[in-house]
Amino acid sequence: METIRDIMTDEIECCTLLDNIFEVAVKMKELNVGAIPIVEQEKLVGMITDRDIVIRGVAEKHPGSTKVEDIMSDKLITVSPDTSSNDAAKLMAENQIRRLPVVEDGKLVGIVSLGDFAIRELTDDQAKEALTQISEQNYNGVQH
């Protein structure tokens, strides 16, 4: 059975609670990514997406110097590296999320995205199903 360890990205760029939303946005631009995990002493404490910066930051007139914890999502759904890829795909679909942090012993060890599923033949149908469900919810105006 394929596990998340087999498909996750384990080279993760993070920010900390000391960073502000401008610094996170710059890192997103440099890395060409849409989400940055927020860690404190290697422990995952939150996640910021480009959508968070727009909706919770810019649209609410927060300056770039705003602390990350003011706009980050801190109620995260995570999986362990030993979670099956099938279970992870279902979790992503059920919760309408595109990225899933991978945590082991309280530490962030990886991240899995729908794109990671899409490049794997064995889980291609799972990724399509999750993406379809997430996209349908996004087009219907549901926020996550």
Side-chain angles (χ1 to χ4, degrees):
M1 174 182 290
E2 186 175 57
T3 65
I4 289 303
R5 186 184 314 275
D6 299 324
I7 63 173
M8 72 182 190
T9 300
D10 58 6
E11 292 182 20
I12 313 143
E13 290 287 333
C14 301
C15 287
T16 71
L17 293 174
L18 298 176
D19 292 309
N20 61 44
I21 61 175
F22 174 79
E23 292 164 324
V24 173
V26 168
K27 186 171 265 196
M28 284 180 178
K29 179 182 177 185
E30 290 171 354
L31 299 171
N32 194 28
V33 298
I36 299 279
I38 308 300
V39 296
E40 186 173 31
Q41 298 176 358
E42 296 182 30
K43 181 182 176 198
L44 180 67
V45 295
M47 180 85 82
I48 292 186
T49 65
D50 45 8
R51 188 177 193 320
D52 292 331
I53 291 172
V54 172
I55 303 299
R56 296 182 191 156
V58 176
E60 292 183 9
K61 299 183 180 180
H62 289 283
S65 59
T66 301
K67 294 188 279 184
V68 294
E69 61 189 315
D70 291 347
I71 68 161
M72 72 181 189
S73 298
D74 59 0
K75 291 173 180 46
L76 303 176
I77 296 164
T78 63
V79 292
S80 77
D82 298 321
T83 302
S84 76
S85 58
N86 188 42
D87 287 346
K90 285 179 185 176
L91 193 61
M92 292 169 81
E94 290 168 1
N95 292 281
Q96 304 299 307
I97 53 178
R98 297 174 184 265
R99 299 166 192 94
L100 197 54
V102 183
V103 177
E104 188 170 44
D105 297 325
K107 293 183 180 179
L108 180 67
V109 296
I111 195 161
V112 65
S113 71
L114 286 180
D116 295 325
F117 287 98
I119 61 171
R120 306 291 289 205
E121 282 184 41
L122 295 176
T123 59
D124 197 35
D125 289 338
Q126 296 163 352
K128 287 177 187 172
E129 181 181 337
L131 181 57
T132 298
Q133 291 181 24
I134 291 168
S135 296
E136 285 173 359
Q137 288 296 322
N138 286 340
Y139 288 123
N140 291 329
V142 174
Q143 294 181 359
H144 48 196

